[in-house]
C-alpha cells in the first residue's frame, strides 16, 4: 500500500449524485455555479504553491457548461471548480492528467470518460502508464466513501490513498511524485510523454505487473489509447483473480 503524508485538512465537502444510491433531480447551471464562494479560488492557491509543474488547460465555455451539468457538482467544491474552470490539468510534464471539461490536449471530460466504466467509483485522473485514480462511491466499501484509490499498473491492485479529492489535488500539485512512482519511470520518460496527448498512454511490454516487466528501461514502449490500458488492466485483473 502506498502512503502519502499530507495531513488532514478541513476543506470543502461535496456530494456528487453519482455517488449516492438515490436518484436526484438534475439541477440547472444557475444552481451549480457558485459566484459567492467559488472553489476555483482555493484550487488556484494550491496551484500557486505547487512544487510540481502544473499546467491548467484552457476550457471551452460550452463544454464546461455541459460537463458541469453532467457532473451535477457545484463550483463551490474543488471538483466542480476543476470541471467548470479547466479543460483539465496536467502535472509533471503531462505524466499525470486530472480530468476537467475536456480540451484539445486532454480530449476527455470527467463524466464522459466515466460512461460505461465501473459502477461504484468515479475516475478522476490517470497517469501515462495506465494508473487510474478513482473516487470511491461504494465499489471499495462504505467505510471509505469519497476516498481516492489508485489502480497501480505494477500490480493491478486498487490501492487506498487515504484522502479525498481536495487532498488528492494537493498531492498532485505538491506531493513527492518521484517517491510515489519509484521504479515506474525510465530514462528519458519526459521526451516520450511529450509526444502523446491526453487520450493516450504508454503501453509497456513485458507488462509492468509481470516479473519480466519490472525494469521499464528495458521494456518495449509505445503510445496506445488510454482506454485500451483501462480495458487491458481490468481484463488481466479478472484473468488473474485480483480483487
Amino acid at each position: 500500500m502506498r502512503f502519502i503524508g499530507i495531513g488532514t485538512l478541513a476543506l470543502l465537502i461535496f456530494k456528487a449524485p453519482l455517488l449516492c444510491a438515490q436518484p436526484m433531480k438534475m439541477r440547472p447551471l444557475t444552481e451549480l455555479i457558485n459566484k459567492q464562494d467559488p472553489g476555483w479560488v482555493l484550487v488556484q492557491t494550491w496551484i500557486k504553491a505547487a512544487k510540481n509543474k502544473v499546467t491548467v488547460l484552457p476550457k471551452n465555455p460550452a463544454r464546461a457548461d455541459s460537463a458541469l451539468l453532467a457532473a451535477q457538482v457545484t463550483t463551490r467544491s474543488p471538483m466542480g471548480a476543476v470541471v467548470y474552470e479547466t479543460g483539465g490539468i496536467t502535472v509533471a510534464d503531462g505524466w499525470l492528467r486530472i480530468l476537467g471539461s475536456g480540451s484539445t490536449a486532454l480530449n476527455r471530460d470527467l463524466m464522459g470518460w466515466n460512461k460505461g466504466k465501473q459502477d461504484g467509483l468515479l475516475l478522476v485522473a490517470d497517469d501515462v502508464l495506465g494508473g487510474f485514480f478513482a473516487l470511491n462511491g461504494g465499489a471499495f466499501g462504505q467505510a471509505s466513501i469519497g476516498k481516492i484509490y489508485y489502480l497501480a499498473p505494477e500490480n493491478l491492485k486498487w490501492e487506498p490513498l487515504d484522502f479525498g479529492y481536495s487532498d488528492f489535488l494537493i498531492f498532485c500539485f505538491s506531493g513527492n511524485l518521484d517517491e510515489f512512482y519509484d521504479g515506474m519511470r525510465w530514462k528519458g520518460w519526459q521526451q516520450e510523454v511529450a509526444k502523446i496527448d491526453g487520450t493516450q498512454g504508454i503501453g509497456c511490454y513485458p507488462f509492468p505487473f509481470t516479473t519480466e516487466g519490472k525494469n521499464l528501461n528495458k521494456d518495449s514502449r509505445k503510445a496506445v489509447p488510454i482506454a485500451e490500458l483501462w480495458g487491458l488492466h481490468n481484463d488481466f485483473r479478472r484473468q488473474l483473480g485480483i480483487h
Side-chain angles (χ1 to χ4, degrees):
M1 182 179 117
R2 297 167 194 260
F3 174 77
I4 297 105
I6 292 181
T8 303
L9 301 178
L11 300 173
L12 300 174
I13 298 173
F14 65 88
K15 289 185 179 180
L18 152 140
L19 301 178
C20 301
Q22 299 178 348
M24 295 178 66
K25 181 181 178 181
M26 294 288 284
R27 292 175 291 177
L29 277 175
T30 52
E31 292 183 18
L32 297 174
I33 298 174
N34 188 307
K35 296 182 179 180
Q36 287 71 43
D37 190 18
W40 184 237
V41 174
L42 185 58
V43 176
Q44 283 181 309
T45 64
W46 299 337
I47 293 174
K48 289 178 182 177
K51 296 178 181 178
N52 302 318
K53 182 179 178 180
V54 177
T55 302
V56 177
L57 302 174
K59 73 173 185 178
N60 174 291
R63 289 189 71 169
D65 287 351
S66 177
L68 189 65
L69 277 171
Q72 288 289 292
V73 185
T74 74
T75 58
R76 186 173 184 271
S77 71
M79 177 181 284
V82 170
V83 169
Y84 188 66
E85 298 293 348
T86 82
I89 300 174
T90 63
V91 182
D93 296 302
W95 180 273
L96 265 173
R97 296 83 69 91
I98 302 167
L99 299 176
S101 58
S103 64
T104 302
L106 181 52
N107 197 16
R108 294 181 284 143
D109 67 89
L110 179 66
M111 300 309 292
W113 170 242
N114 276 274
K115 188 174 181 180
K117 296 296 192 302
Q118 185 175 334
D119 291 339
L121 56 81
L122 181 70
L123 298 169
V124 296
D126 45 63
D127 57 50
V128 296
L129 288 179
F132 297 90
F133 298 89
L135 197 68
N136 180 28
F140 308 114
Q142 298 298 309
S144 59
I145 289 286
K147 297 293 186 179
I148 297 287
Y149 281 70
Y150 177 64
L151 179 55
E154 69 268 34
N155 58 29
L156 300 184
K157 296 179 180 178
W158 280 107
E159 302 179 348
L161 299 187
D162 199 30
F163 49 55
Y165 185 82
S166 295
D167 281 352
F168 170 66
L169 291 181
I170 294 172
F171 161 68
C172 290
F173 300 158
S174 294
N176 190 339
L177 296 183
D178 288 335
E179 181 181 44
F180 187 82
Y181 286 107
D182 183 36
M184 295 304 293
R185 285 173 166 171
W186 59 95
K187 187 177 180 179
W189 64 266
Q190 295 94 335
Q191 289 73 29
E192 290 184 40
V193 172
K195 296 176 182 178
I196 66 174
D197 64 33
T199 66
Q200 298 174 304
I202 294 178
C204 300
Y205 189 82
F207 303 117
F209 55 85
T210 65
T211 301
E212 299 79 9
K214 295 305 180 186
N215 187 342
L216 271 68
N217 283 296
K218 296 182 179 181
D219 283 2
S220 171
R221 300 180 300 274
K222 67 175 182 178
V224 297
I226 191 66
E228 182 177 310
L229 290 177
W230 168 257
L232 181 73
H233 290 171
N234 280 285
D235 285 344
F236 273 113
R237 279 172 51 79
R238 286 189 287 270
Q239 292 175 33
L240 297 172
I242 298 174
H243 301 289

